Amino acid sequence: MCAECLRMVAAPVERCAPGVVLGDFVIKALVGTGGMGTVYLAEQISLQRPVALKVLHAELAESPTQLQRFLDEARMAASIHDPNLIGVYAVGSEDGLHFIAMEFVKGVSLHGLIERQGKLPLGQAVDIAVRVASGLQAAWDRRGIVHCDIK
């Protein structure tokens, strides 16, 4: 029973499943899985806003080197503010799970867009390329970062 609203709630079986709370974030849905972690749509409880919550894979969290890389990525990304880059809101850990809370951008990925509509018109492709290049330039100019995982 929820102590606040006094309603019965189901307790999730998985460590990261809809309804699980990690710090200030409640997981809503799975977005996708990558090399370093799994990304979930979550809600930041205190600010009532959607976030992308990237949870580091458990086997990587066991490696001090990989864990430090994950934390460094979060801190560097949080220090760069640019309209063409995803904003980082928080980094944290709870119950052995390490996570980064980032801006959630609703929509389709470039990969999904190309799959759906095929070859992009030249003007649209150029516009996308210019915005990607602008974000990469900001990362380089402000922190000397060369990003190796562009989405």
Side-chain angles (χ1 to χ4, degrees):
M1 180 175 289
C2 174
E4 276 190 39
C5 69
L6 303 177
R7 292 188 317 182
M8 294 299 290
V9 294
V13 177
E14 299 176 40
R15 292 186 73 196
C16 289
V20 168
V21 175
L22 292 177
D24 189 28
F25 307 95
V26 59
I27 293 174
K28 299 293 184 181
L30 174 68
V31 172
T33 300
M36 285 199 75
T38 302
V39 179
Y40 299 92
L41 168 61
E43 180 178 339
Q44 185 172 13
I45 298 165
S46 61
L47 297 176
Q48 297 180 330
R49 65 177 169 184
V51 300
L53 196 67
K54 182 177 183 179
V55 179
L56 183 64
H57 291 312
E59 61 275 9
L60 295 178
E62 293 174 7
S63 163
T65 303
Q66 291 296 329
L67 179 56
Q68 191 60 53
R69 181 175 162 212
F70 184 76
L71 296 173
D72 290 345
E73 173 189 327
R75 291 178 182 128
M76 283 191 286
S79 72
I80 305 169
H81 302 283
D82 185 89
N84 296 298
L85 298 174
I86 298 294
V88 172
Y89 300 144
V91 63
S93 64
E94 186 167 303
D95 198 25
L97 296 173
H98 300 274
F99 57 87
I100 301 171
M102 302 172 281
E103 175 183 4
F104 178 74
V105 178
K106 190 174 182 176
V108 64
S109 68
L110 178 57
H111 178 73
L113 180 66
I114 293 169
E115 278 189 337
R116 189 173 66 205
Q117 78 180 50
K119 185 177 175 183
L120 301 179
L122 180 60
Q124 184 180 16
V126 168
D127 180 57
I128 292 169
V130 166
R131 288 187 279 150
V132 169
S134 177
L136 293 172
Q137 184 69 50
W140 175 254
D141 288 347
R142 296 184 190 134
R143 294 290 299 203
I145 296 171
V146 176
H147 203 300
C148 300
D149 190 18
I150 310 304
K151 300 261 184 319

